[in-house]
Every structure is written in C-alpha cells, then in structure tokens.
Amino acid sequence: MRAIRKSRAIAILALLSSKFAFAQGCALCYTQAASASGRFIHALRSGIFVLVFPPLLISLGLATAAYRKRNQFQEDISEETNARDSNSKINSAQDP
Amino acid sequence: QLSLLSVLVAMVLSWLMRIHVAWPSWGIPGASWLSKAGAPHGVISPEYYLSLMTMHGTLMVFFVLTTAPLAAFGNYFLPIQIGAKDMAFPRLNMLSFWTTFLAFLVLLSSLFVGDMPATSGWTAYPPLSAVGAISGPGEGLGQTLWIISIAIFCVGSLFGSINFIATTLDQRCKGMTLMRMPLTVWAWFITSCMSLVAFSVLLPACVLLILDRIAGTSFFVPAGLVISDRLQPYSGGSPLLWQHLFWFFGHPEVYIAILPAMGIVSHVLTASMRRPMLSHKAIIYSMIAIGFLSYLLWGHHMFVSGMNPYSSLVFSLPTLVITIPSTIITLIWIGSLYGSKLRITSASLFALGFISVFVSGGVSGFLLAQPSLDTYLHATYFVVGHFHLIMGVAAVFGIFAGTYFWFSKVTGLMMDERLGKLHFWLTFVGAYCIFMPFYYLGLAGNVRRESQFVSNHMQSLMPVHRFITVAALLTGAAQLIFFYNLVHSRLRGKTAITNPWEATSLEWSIASLPPTENFIGQVEVLHDPYQYGMEGSPIDYLMQAKVLPNAPAQNSIIASAPNGIVHPSAAKTGIWVFIAASLMSFAALTSAMLVRQGSTQDWISFPLPVIFYLSTLVLLSSSVVLEIARRSFLEANYSAASRQLAVKRLLSIVLLFGAVFLGGQATVVWQLQAQGWSLAKVPSASFFYLFVAAHALHVLIGLLALAWLLDKLYGVKLRKQSFDIFAIYWHFASVLSLGICGLWMVVR
C-alpha cells in the first residue's frame, strides 16, 4: 500500500515537474511564436476558445435531440404526419 | 470498392517508400513509370519519397480509414440494424459517394499530372504547402490538386454525416429505443457527429490555404520568407494558424477512424463470445465520452510549436483523460472474453487482433501525451509506430472483422474460413514485425520523414529498417490471400443461410442478400441486441426483433414516405444538422481571423460602406416577410384564393429581397476593392470577403430553394414540411448576416 502511495506521489511529482515544451520540432513555428508579442499568445488563446465552444454546444444540441427522440419511432412520427397530410389534402381539395 | 482501390494504391506506395529506405540506391522496376522526374531509373529522389509519403497518408487516412468503416459498412448496415428501409436521404447518400469518388480521382490525378504529387505530408503544413511551385517539386499543381481533393472530400463527408445523424434519430423502427441500438449503430452515430464538426473546420481551412496559393493572401505564410534567394510577397500570416485549424480536424479524425471499428469489434465479439458485453451501457457512454473529449485535444499536436506552456497543460489533461474511456472499453472487452465460449472465426480473430494492436498502439499514446516526452519523440519513428498501430492497423483489423462477418449478408455467399484464418495470422504477425521496431527506432532517435539514412549517425539502424521492409513486403503479399478469398467467394462461395453466425441483431433476421427495401412487412424490436447465453432452449440466443413477413406492409416508412419524399422529421433534423455544420465553419473562420489578427502588426481596419448595413437590414426584413407568408400558409383557410395569392406575393417579395441583398453585398465588395482594400494585400479585407462570400453562398442556395418552393406553390403541391424547412434555413441565413455584421463591427 505504501509502495503504491509512494509511486503515485512520484508520478504526480514527475508530471508537475515536467519542463515546458519549446520548439525542437519546428524551427519556423518556434521563431514565429518566440518573436510574437503577448498579443499573439492572447490571439491564439481567443482562437482556441472560439473553436472549443461551438462543438460543445453542437454536442449538447445533438444530445438533447437524441434524448428527446430516444423512445420515438417512425410509426409515431408517421401517424402524426399522416394526420397532417390528410389535413392538407382536405385543404388542397378545396382549392379552386 | 473505393476504399479497396485506395488501400491497394496506398500499399504499393508504402512498398516503394520502404524499399527505398532500406536500399536507397536500388532502381525499383516500374517506379520511373510513375514519375520520370521523381524516380529516374527507378531510384526514388528525396522529394518523390515525400510525395509517396503524402499520397500514402492521404489515401489511407481519408479514403480508407474514414470511408470504409463509416461510409461503407454504415450505409449498408445502419438502416438494416435500426429497422429502416433506407437511409433518411438516399439521394444525398448517392451525392456523398460520388463527391468522395470525385475527390479520390482528383487526388489520384496528382500522381500523373504535373511534376509530382504534393510533398507536404497528409498534414500539409504551410509554408511549404502554401507558397506554390517555388518551394520545390510537387508544390505546384500537385499540392493544388491535393487541397482541392480534400476540400471536395470534406463536402462528401458532411453530406454523409447529415444523413447518418438524421437516419439514426428519425428512422428507427418500432421498439428500437436508443439504448436498444447495436453498438455498431452507436459508433456510427457518434462518429458522424464528430465528422460533422471536424470536416466543417477542415473545409474553410482548405479554402484559406488555396487562397494563399492562388490569390496571394497571407493567412499561413509569415512575412519575410525567403525562398531561393527571393523574398516572398506575404504580409505576415502564421503557420501556427494552419496547425490550429488542421489539428482541430486531425485529432478527432483519429477517433473518426477508430470508433466505427470499435463498434464493429464489439458487435462481432459479442456474437462470437455467445454472451453480452459486461456492460453494454458503459461501452456506449465511453464512446460518447471519446467523441466529446476528442474536440478538446487538438492543441497537443502543437506542443513543440512554441505555444503558451499553460495552454499545453490545458490540452495535456484531456489527452490523458481520453485514455480512460478507451481503457474502460478495452477492459470490458477483455473482461467479457474471460471465461467465454469464444467461437474462433476469421471475424473474431480480427476482432481479437484489433484489441491487441489497439493496446500496443494506445500504450505509447500515454508517453506522447506528456509534453516533455513528446518533445523528444515527436519527430521520430516512435510517433509513426504509435499512429500506425492505433489508427491504421487497428482500424484495418476492424474493417477485416466487419468484412468477414458481414460478407455473407451482403452477397448471400460465404467467405472461405480457412483462408480467412491464414490471412489473419500472416497479417497479425506481419503488422507487429513492421510496427513494433518503429518504437525502437524512435527511442533510438531515428527521425521520420527522411528518405535515407546511409550517410549519417542513423546508419547503424539500417538493419532494422531492412527487417521492417521485408516484413512490409511479406505482409502486403499476404493481403493477396484476402483479395483472392474475396473474389473467389463472390464468384464461387457457398450459399449463405440467413443467420450463419447465430447472431441476434436485425440484419440476421432478413435474408442474406437483403431485399431492396430491407424489410418486407412489419418490424418490431423486442429487447436489446445482444441476448446470448439463453439457457433451457435449443438455441442459446434470442433475436432482437420480430419480423412478420406476411403482415400487411405497415412499416412506417412505406406508409408515410412514398418514393422521393423525405420523412418530415428526418428532413427537419437534417436541416438543423446542416445549420450546425455551417455554424462550425463560420466559427472556424472567426477563430482563424482572431489568430491572424494577433499574429502580426499588419492588421488594418477599414470603414464598411453603409450599403453593407442596409443589405443586412433587407435580409432581416425578408425573414419577417417569410414568417408572415408561412403563417398565412398554415392557416386553416389557406385555400381561399385571395390568401393563396397573398402567400405567393409575399414569397416573391422574399425572393426580391434576397436578390437585393446579394446585389448589395456585391456592391460592397466592388466599393472596397475600388478603395484599395484588396483580397491579397489586406488581411482584414481577406477575411471580410471570405465571410461575405460564404454567407452569400448560403443566401444563393436559399434563393434557389425559394424559387423551387414558389414553383411548387403555383402547382398546389407544396407540403407544409417543405415550407417549414425552408423557413428554418432562411431565418438562419438572416440571423447569420446579423452575426457577421455584429462581428465586423467589433473586430474590424
């Protein structure tokens, strides 16, 4: 038990003490990011925020739609539609 | 068939790459036929190696891993598994296929036209992909074709997603509640939701990239770039912006490839284990969690880009968290397998193989999610091993499992099981021989994307590369067994019975080689799809649904939607899903604009002409008029001649207002151009024109629909649902114009 706790603590410490990642991979990106002012960092953060929220809202919308239709089958919809269609047929029949 | 063709081409390209890496000076027979400039005397040049890599990656990611498990299996089995006659929008379905096929042809053409195909990888990072032919071979026509192909592919995928979502939500037969849907259907549904969002962002990103190439805009190319001693005329874009947009698509894409395979594997395993999964619901919720979290990870692909370290932390956490649902699913598979009476078939072997490679590839993901480790491993073969195993091989194993499982249903003939098992073992062992050494190469510091390692410190790793190449050739050759089996079984296979695997879901209730409308008669789902292990009965399973073949055709689709008419509820869902996709594309443009605005000091505000505000007002007014017309149409006494005339007049006014709006927007663009706010030179104007053009396209589509609506109205054939759906769309277009107007008042 103690060993597990110890290893957990080491793992957490290792995660917390990780160094920040600089741009060993892409010199151009790093040069651009390093030479940019706080304005760019702020802009990137805003850009990230703008992209994060719409998918969350869309997911929420789809989840709501799925939940509302969870027990709804074609037959239920059809009955409703057939009723409407027959209504509109009556209207059409009255057309000159 | 499209995916099969793609995988064949991609496999041959990967062979060429591997042979060249292992024996760089070899002349490969036939390679010079593909490109004389890229492979003189069959020896592949470094640039052509990058072209092959790009084409291999693009074909596999887009046309195999995205298309086969979702579009191919889903289109066929989703309607059957939910008890529907067909997909909600069959014509849109066909359009989706032909659009994807066109994208494939455009991409393939780049192998033969121009100097060579694109060299910038499947990620198409700018500035290489954005500056044009000056940046080297393949970056002229080849890269342009690549971008056009991907943009077309995005459109095809969006059509498919709309169809899948509407079908799942609105076409289910009696008794098929959401929780009774098979895991395959859940996987296709969640994947479609992810595709919808992801491809809605990639599409505008491709448009921006192509504008950088052909219109001289500066979205992605930084200022002061010198190529071949020539200063490039770009005013200061950001290559990080492409990463930002591309990986928003790119990371969910990993799950778009793998989730359908997870569904197929769960489905196949359950039938093979003769028992349900330990927790059906836990798998569903885990797949939902994967879909949801996949939108929050894209920044981890930019760990090494110099982005704010705190942003790295924000992206690192969900990257680690997403492993939890994946782990839950894996543990459920393993737990369910433990002690089960597993039937060893080709399909179940590939499903087991999927679990194996998924774990082998997934474990390395833990390491890459850690920014400090990723910094070292990012540009090495370690990443190549990781994504090939978890995304490529795992998904391909899922595709094989599905093919062996469902072949009998699609063709009415059985595949040869002995050949299937032989195919599995050769592929399974081969895949490990190819991809596990990649981890070793990566840890040893072997960089990726380089075509040869003979003259540097990585020379000592050449024996490993040669081993991988031999393994790749043998594993590729083993696929001939599959193709032989596929063709031979199609021509001379044994006739399949209705339910050869004694499985329970709906597809096994109907004849192998299903009838045109899937079900003849009434379908009623009685319980969840995995009722196995029944005791006290001659068979150990219970079919999910009751199909009454002799009952009158009460299946609601037949009753409610005659040929050519889309189900009203599905049509409404479809339009809302389309609106969601549109909103996502505009969000992507807005995000790009914000990043671009802050990237350099070249952002200049410009005054918007008054006519811009006036035309917005006109469009809003048209929406009000349309609403009045809609309400008049719905009124009970609509049939009165005077009322009909009023509706027609009101709709004509809407048509006129729409045309005035378009004219107004054209005038705005003309005025701004005349004042010197050019598309190419002023980034703020570039974005403004993009917003205006994208919105104008929406209005134009609306006007065409309105013209159709008026035509129907004059013929007295207009249905209420068509009017309602058009009204939703038109109101959306109006609100969007208001949103764009507000955005430009704040941002410009």
Side-chain angles (χ1 to χ4, degrees), chain B residues 554-566:
Chain B
Q554 289 172 4
N555 193 336
S556 50
I557 318 159
I558 300 165
S560 68
N563 284 341
I565 296 174
V566 172

Side-chain angles (χ1 to χ4, degrees), chain B residues 431-669:
Chain B
Y432 271 108
C433 287
I434 298 167
F435 296 110
M436 289 307 271
F438 277 11
Y439 287 141
Y440 172 74
L441 288 173
L443 289 170
N446 198 151
V447 291
R448 58 186 171 136
R449 300 196 186 102
E450 286 189 13
S451 70
Q452 39 188 281
F453 308 106
V454 285
S455 57
N456 58 24
H457 63 282
M458 283 177 273
Q459 200 179 358
S460 59
L461 297 170
M462 284 307 285
V464 184
H465 278 293
R466 289 190 182 124
F467 173 78
I468 292 171
T469 301
V470 173
L473 289 169
L474 292 175
T475 312
Q479 304 317 304
L480 293 175
I481 299 172
F482 171 73
F483 285 109
Y484 171 78
N485 196 356
L486 202 68
V487 176
H488 185 262
S489 306
R490 183 72 188 86
L491 298 174
R492 294 185 185 170
K494 285 182 196 164
T495 308
I497 54 170
T498 298
N499 191 0
W501 311 119
E502 297 185 311
T504 52
S505 46
L506 256 74
E507 72 267 33
W508 305 108
S509 298
I510 56 172
S512 291
L513 198 59
T516 315
E517 293 181 346
N518 293 337
F519 301 94
I520 303 163
Q522 193 179 12
V523 187
E524 186 177 352
V525 170
L526 305 170
H527 44 73
D528 73 82
Y530 303 117
Q531 294 279 336
Y532 292 102
M534 299 289 117
E535 287 175 3
S537 68
I539 50 169
D540 69 339
Y541 61 99
L542 215 55
M543 297 307 287
Q544 187 189 13
K546 185 171 67 178
V547 184
L548 301 173
N550 296 324
Q554 289 172 4
N555 193 336
S556 50
I557 318 159
I558 300 165
S560 68
N563 284 341
I565 296 174
V566 172
H567 204 282
S569 178
K572 204 170 254 184
T573 306
I575 199 73
W576 279 111
V577 174
F578 173 80
I579 287 171
S582 273
L583 277 176
M584 199 60 231
S585 291
F586 277 98
L589 279 179
T590 309
S591 173
M593 183 174 71
L594 291 173
V595 176
R596 179 63 184 82
Q597 191 183 17
S599 66
T600 47
Q601 304 291 336
D602 64 341
W603 190 272
I604 309 165
S605 295
F606 58 89
L608 283 171
V610 181
I611 197 164
F612 175 70
Y613 301 106
L614 287 176
S615 57
T616 305
L617 204 62
V618 168
L619 196 65
L620 285 171
S621 312
S622 75
S623 216
V624 175
V625 176
L626 178 71
E627 194 51 32
I628 296 167
R630 194 181 73 89
R631 290 183 182 196
S632 302
F633 181 76
L634 292 182
E635 277 177 20
N637 60 346
Y638 167 70
S639 52
S642 58
R643 180 71 68 175
Q644 274 192 25
L645 194 65
V647 171
K648 284 168 192 167
R649 276 184 186 159
L650 285 169
L651 284 184
S652 303
I653 291 171
V654 175
L655 192 73
L656 181 71
F657 277 17
V660 168
F661 170 80
L662 285 182
Q665 297 296 80
T667 313
V668 169
V669 172

Side-chain angles (χ1 to χ4, degrees), chain B residues 255 259 262 282-294 318-333 358 366:
Chain B
Y255 298 98
L259 264 186
M262 279 181 163
I283 293 186
I284 294 170
Y285 293 138
S286 297
M287 286 199 291
I288 292 172
I290 290 173
F292 185 74
L293 285 168
S294 70
T319 305
L320 290 167
V321 169
I322 202 167
T323 58
I324 295 171
S326 307
T327 309
I328 290 172
I329 294 176
T330 311
L331 289 176
I332 290 174
W333 285 332
F358 184 71
F366 283 106

Side-chain angles (χ1 to χ4, degrees), chain B residues 202-540:
Chain B
L202 186 62
L203 181 60
C206 285
V207 173
L208 296 182
L209 189 56
I210 208 153
L211 283 175
D212 267 7
R213 292 176 64 81
I214 61 171
T217 52
S218 301
F219 296 117
F220 303 117
V221 189
L225 188 69
V226 178
I227 301 173
S228 305
D229 295 330
R230 279 164 61 189
L231 183 66
Q232 298 303 305
Y234 292 95
S235 63
S238 169
L240 209 57
L241 173 58
W242 173 259
Q243 293 190 29
H244 168 60
L245 295 175
F246 181 84
W247 285 114
F248 183 87
F249 146 80
H251 201 84
E253 168 60 27
V254 175
Y255 298 98
I256 288 169
I258 206 70
L259 264 186
M262 279 181 163
I264 293 168
V265 165
S266 306
H267 195 68
V268 170
L269 274 183
T270 319
S272 307
M273 293 184 306
R274 314 308 299 165
R275 60 153 72 155
M277 287 286 170
L278 284 182
S279 174
H280 181 76
K281 282 186 181 172
I283 293 186
I284 294 170
Y285 293 138
S286 297
M287 286 199 291
I288 292 172
I290 290 173
F292 185 74
L293 285 168
S294 70
Y295 298 126
L296 309 175
L297 313 176
W298 81 96
H300 75 217
H301 293 274
M302 302 188 283
F303 279 163
V304 293
S305 66
M307 71 190 279
N308 186 338
Y310 296 103
S311 300
S312 293
L313 188 67
V314 169
F315 284 115
S316 182
L317 283 175
T319 305
L320 290 167
V321 169
I322 202 167
T323 58
I324 295 171
S326 307
T327 309
I328 290 172
I329 294 176
T330 311
L331 289 176
I332 290 174
W333 285 332
I334 294 170
S336 308
L337 278 166
Y338 186 76
S340 69
K341 298 167 190 165
L342 186 71
R343 291 180 181 174
I344 301 294
T345 59
S346 308
S348 66
L349 281 174
F350 272 106
L352 292 176
F354 173 95
I355 298 175
S356 171
V357 289
F358 184 71
V359 172
S360 307
V363 167
S364 55
F366 283 106
L367 304 178
L368 294 171
Q370 233 295 322
S372 50
L373 287 173
D374 185 59
T375 303
Y376 174 76
L377 297 169
H378 186 77
T380 71
Y381 267 89
F382 192 90
V383 178
V384 183
H386 164 71
F387 72 71
H388 270 89
L389 276 174
I390 198 159
M391 186 183 171
V393 183
V396 167
F397 272 36
I399 295 168
F400 281 137
T403 308
Y404 282 110
F405 191 65
W406 283 316
F407 183 85
S408 60
K409 188 53 59 183
V410 178
T411 61
L413 301 162
M414 296 296 289
M415 278 184 98
D416 188 317
E417 274 293 301
R418 275 181 314 157
L419 286 178
K421 285 172 187 169
L422 178 67
H423 170 227
F424 166 75
W425 285 113
L426 291 175
T427 308
F428 183 70
V429 174
Y432 271 108
C433 287
I434 298 167
F435 296 110
M436 289 307 271
F438 277 11
Y439 287 141
Y440 172 74
L441 288 173
L443 289 170
N446 198 151
V447 291
R448 58 186 171 136
R449 300 196 186 102
E450 286 189 13
S451 70
Q452 39 188 281
F453 308 106
V454 285
S455 57
N456 58 24
H457 63 282
M458 283 177 273
Q459 200 179 358
S460 59
L461 297 170
M462 284 307 285
V464 184
H465 278 293
R466 289 190 182 124
F467 173 78
I468 292 171
T469 301
V470 173
L473 289 169
L474 292 175
T475 312
Q479 304 317 304
L480 293 175
I481 299 172
F482 171 73
F483 285 109
Y484 171 78
N485 196 356
L486 202 68
V487 176
H488 185 262
S489 306
R490 183 72 188 86
L491 298 174
R492 294 185 185 170
K494 285 182 196 164
T495 308
I497 54 170
T498 298
N499 191 0
W501 311 119
E502 297 185 311
T504 52
S505 46
L506 256 74
E507 72 267 33
W508 305 108
S509 298
I510 56 172
S512 291
L513 198 59
T516 315
E517 293 181 346
N518 293 337
F519 301 94
I520 303 163
Q522 193 179 12
V523 187
E524 186 177 352
V525 170
L526 305 170
H527 44 73
D528 73 82
Y530 303 117
Q531 294 279 336
Y532 292 102
M534 299 289 117
E535 287 175 3
S537 68
I539 50 169
D540 69 339

